[in-house]
Amino acid sequence: MLIGVSSYHRMKQHQPSWVFCQLVKHRRIFYLAPMRSFCVLMADPVIDEEDIGGTLVEMLRRTEEKLSAHNRTMIDIVSSPTHNKEIAYPPAAIQQILYNAALHRTYESTNSPVRVYWFNDRIEIISPGGPYGNVTIENFGSSGITDYRNPNIADVLKTFGFIQSFGRGIATARKLMQENGNPDLEFQTTSSAVVCVLRGKS
């Protein structure tokens, strides 16, 4: 693991590094918020919810499993001689946005978790902390504009296979959404949070 020698020395001195705590210590970072079956009235009945804790890697994997269970495959047996399978959201697009939320969120000065809301017509992934460094509210999502608030976490996510290359997550998700027939990603960016909206097929 890319925790590093410095982290090991701190452990021997009983002063584990912050990154080590996030990766190894069981602590809630993600919260899979109530998945509401209807998107207009917030009083709609909740069909599923889970408060996910554990290490960062464990939480990512469990969140992926939960989202995959709700990403239903639809079979069309009417519009053509052979049946067609369609999926509501491209799984890899959801993964890219989820990984971005974990990688680029702020882990300091807030206890707010990453939140995932699954509505009837969209998914909202809310990441605490606004844009960082070269990325601003104005240029957020623009091609070629990247920066890293948590480079150590980026290295760990790459080591565990969550990330193959840096700076391509949003572009990859947009391409996958387009290929699947979904609307483009929507971002609501403030100084305190980034909200990504993935809309279902119309």
Side-chain angles (χ1 to χ4, degrees):
M1 292 177 63
L2 293 180
I3 295 173
V5 177
S6 61
S7 296
Y8 174 73
H9 287 317
R10 289 189 184 185
M11 288 174 62
K12 292 180 66 176
Q13 299 168 8
H14 306 290
Q15 294 179 343
S17 71
W18 178 87
V19 173
F20 184 86
C21 289
Q22 296 302 315
L23 296 172
V24 180
K25 181 181 177 183
H26 283 255
R27 174 182 173 184
R28 188 187 74 164
I29 300 175
F30 276 83
Y31 171 68
L32 189 63
M35 295 183 177
R36 301 185 182 278
S37 60
F38 193 65
C39 68
V40 177
L41 300 176
M42 296 305 291
D44 292 340
V46 175
I47 62 172
D48 193 9
E49 63 180 317
E50 185 172 349
D51 190 342
I52 297 177
T55 66
L56 180 58
V57 170
E58 290 170 347
M59 286 186 286
L60 281 173
R61 287 176 176 161
R62 288 176 57 195
T63 303
E64 286 185 85
E65 291 172 0
K66 175 65 70 173
L67 295 175
S68 178
H70 287 273
N71 196 14
R72 308 295 174 82
T73 298
M74 299 164 285
I75 301 178
D76 179 5
I77 60 174
V78 177
S79 61
S80 65
T82 59
H83 70 271
N84 296 316
K85 292 184 178 181
E86 294 185 354
I87 195 163
Y89 301 91
I94 300 175
Q95 290 171 345
Q96 291 293 332
I97 301 304
L98 183 65
Y99 301 160
N100 266 13
L103 172 58
H104 296 295
R105 64 154 293 168
T106 180
Y107 288 92
E108 300 177 358
S109 303
T110 179
N111 292 318
S112 179
V114 169
R115 289 182 169 87
V116 181
Y117 295 90
W118 191 302
F119 294 92
N120 192 46
D121 68 338
R122 70 190 187 279
I123 301 170
E124 295 183 3
I125 300 179
I126 305 171
S127 178
Y132 174 81
N134 291 329
V135 182
T136 65
I137 293 175
E138 291 73 24
N139 65 24
F140 187 91
S142 300
S143 177
I145 306 296
T146 61
D147 213 327
Y148 302 97
R149 177 183 272 120
N150 306 301
N152 291 330
I153 290 180
D155 287 340
V156 171
L157 293 182
K158 189 169 185 180
T159 298
F160 278 91
F162 291 101
I163 297 174
Q164 284 71 48
S165 60
F166 296 123
R168 299 180 57 85
I170 292 177
T172 299
R174 278 181 163 149
K175 181 175 182 292
L176 292 169
M177 291 284 282
Q178 181 181 25
E179 291 175 350
N180 196 56
N182 297 78
D184 193 14
L185 300 176
E186 300 173 17
F187 291 97
Q188 302 164 13
T189 309
T190 68
S191 60
S192 60
V194 173
V195 181
C196 179
V197 180
L198 299 90
R199 295 198 177 275
K201 297 180 180 181
S202 57

